[in-house]
Structure formats: C-alpha cells, structure tokens
Amino acid sequence: MRRSPGPAGATATLDVSAEAAVAAQVRRTLEAVFEAVAETRAETAALLTRVAAEGRRPASVDLAALRPGLHLRLTRQELVSGAGFVAAPGLLGDVPAWLEWWQQGSDGGVRPLLLDLDPEHSAYSDYTHWDWFALPRDTGQRAVAGPYVDYLCSDEYSLTLSAPVQMDGRFVGVAAADVYLRHFEGAVVPLLQRLPGASYLVNARGRVAASADPTHLAGSLTRGPDFAGVLAAARSTVHGAMRLVPCDGVPLVLVTPAG
C-alpha cells in the first residue's frame, strides 16, 4: 500500500498489489529463460574445469561438447530463439574470440551461427562493448540487454539475457539467450495493460524493454532515475511522477505513474 496527499491534507490509500502482481508475472516469464542461461553457464564452467584439469588451455573444438544442451534448450524453451556461450577474448588457445552459438530457424530446425571474427576483416570481432557482454562482466550479475536490432545473429529486434561465467573466480565469458522482442511483448504487454496507468518495463540502463505507454516505445531510453540502483536495492521507490517497481529478482523495472 502507499499513501498520497489528498485535498485539505487528507491522505488517500492506493493499492499497489496489482503492480506487484505484474512484476512477479514478468519475473516468472523471464526466469524460464534465465534458467536456460544458468544451465549453459553451469555446463560451460564444468567443461572448462575439466579441460584445466588436463593441464591445457581450452580450444574452440572443446566447446562442441555444449551443443546437445544448447539444442535441447532451443527446442524446449518457447521464448528462446538463440543460445550459447561467448568466450572472453584470450580464453581459447586457438582463436582470439569465439561464439559457440546456436539458433532456431523459422522451420524449427537448429543451426549454428557462423561468424568471421578475424579483427582484420570483421566488424563483429570485438563484442566486449555490447551490453549483453559488458554488464555481466562488469557487475558479476545477470543482465537484460536491448531491445536492439540483432545484426549479429538474426536481424530481428531482440532482447539478450546473459550471465557471467567464472572459473576459479575469473571471468571467462558469458552464457546467454536471445528472445525476439515480438515474443516477449506478446507475453508481457497484456500484463502491463491490466494496470490502470500507462506502464512499461526498463532494463538497468533505462532502455524500454516492453511498453503499454505510447510515449515510451520499446527501445527508447528513460532518463533520470537510477534504475540499476533500484534493482540493487530490490525495493519499490518513487522518482518524480514515476513509481519504480523491481521485478522480483530479474533485472527489469516496472515503471508506472506515481499517482
């Protein structure tokens, strides 16, 4: 519950249970994807630990062992359109950079993402500045990046959910999964529309991930509030005319009118 000033100093009690319920449902929607990311992270860490126990550096061929699990997640998780492990530069002994990445095609088939990561020829060779890589690396936490046009994988407007992979406390890359924005919006916009005010979801950077507010379109930036701080504090707050409700553990904030 929250109270707001009324006429002549009176107070009006506003029920925020609907906001909490929507935030919880958004969390449940994304947790299914983050569970897939967590499985990839665990399998990757275990694989790299086995390779290290053999007294050698991992190579790109070692990451082929991740493929059965990645294929399973792509066919099992309805929202997941792509999944894989992205190595930190210098991790592998045979290549400077690598994406062990698989995608589900429109026909339901699973196919690899094949990229030229030669820095002399490819604009994609340095992926370390992209939010889906940089946020988990810099914070040690899960991240939701986007939405953005995913020129790297699908040319679709997408979200990427990612988590850091560590070995002996050292960052070695990210496990991640892609979600097409149209699928995410189909799952969460009807929830936002249940709220009485125009509402939307933003990530830690303030980028709108989905919206039922025509003045805040998906992909636009909301400036002003410290959304990362709201997520870290894990409690609702008011910033000006906005009420900010963290989505129960996933890195998205529900923004509604403070009213």
Side-chain angles (χ1 to χ4, degrees):
M1 307 288 286
R2 68 178 185 267
R3 296 183 182 274
S4 60
T11 59
T13 300
L14 303 177
D15 187 354
V16 298
S17 60
E19 296 169 358
V22 167
Q25 288 177 287
V26 171
R27 178 194 63 79
R28 286 193 290 271
T29 298
L30 283 187
E31 278 296 353
V33 180
F34 271 123
E35 286 172 9
V37 172
E39 290 171 2
T40 300
R41 177 170 62 175
E43 288 185 2
T44 304
L47 170 64
L48 295 175
T49 298
R50 290 196 300 271
V51 171
E54 297 171 5
R56 62 181 180 86
R57 286 180 67 185
S60 57
V61 66
D62 292 310
L63 300 181
L66 300 175
R67 294 173 186 175
L70 295 175
H71 294 181
L72 178 63
R73 271 153 237 146
L74 280 168
T75 55
R76 186 184 64 194
Q77 296 290 346
E78 183 177 355
L79 283 178
V80 175
S81 60
F85 168 68
V86 183
L91 173 69
L92 304 178
D94 59 330
V95 289
W98 188 262
L99 288 83
E100 184 61 43
W101 196 265
W102 291 75
Q103 302 168 278
Q104 189 170 45
S106 57
D107 60 355
V110 176
R111 62 179 186 271
L113 175 67
L114 302 176
L115 290 175
D116 178 7
L117 294 177
D118 184 338
E120 294 186 2
H121 304 104
S122 174
Y124 304 119
S125 61
D126 182 11
Y127 42 70
T128 61
H129 61 285
W130 292 352
D131 277 356
W132 51 260
F133 191 92
L135 282 170
R137 178 197 62 200
D138 297 344
T139 67
Q141 304 295 319
R142 305 188 301 183
V144 176
Y148 61 98
V149 179
D150 188 0
Y151 294 114
L152 186 66
C153 297
S154 64
D155 290 333
E156 285 258 6
Y157 217 34
S158 301
L159 299 170
T160 300
L161 283 63
S162 56
V165 179
Q166 296 184 333
M167 190 174 64
D168 297 327
R170 177 173 62 96
F171 174 80
V172 294
V174 300
D178 282 342
V179 175
Y180 290 150
L181 180 64
R182 52 190 167 88
H183 294 162
F184 180 62
E185 288 182 319
V188 302
V189 168
L191 303 176
L192 300 177
Q193 291 171 335
R194 296 177 189 174
L195 296 172
S199 303
Y200 54 100
L201 295 162
V202 301
N203 66 13
R205 303 274 202 209
R207 192 167 297 280
V208 178
S211 179
D213 181 350
T215 66
H216 291 85
L217 301 179
S220 64
L221 280 172
T222 299
R223 302 187 185 278
D226 177 10
F227 294 109
V230 172
L231 292 170
R235 64 176 180 270
S236 300
T237 188
V238 172
H239 181 93
M242 293 179 284
R243 182 168 180 81
L244 312 176
V245 183
C247 290
D248 293 346
V250 300
L252 287 179
V253 176
L254 172 64
V255 183
T256 66

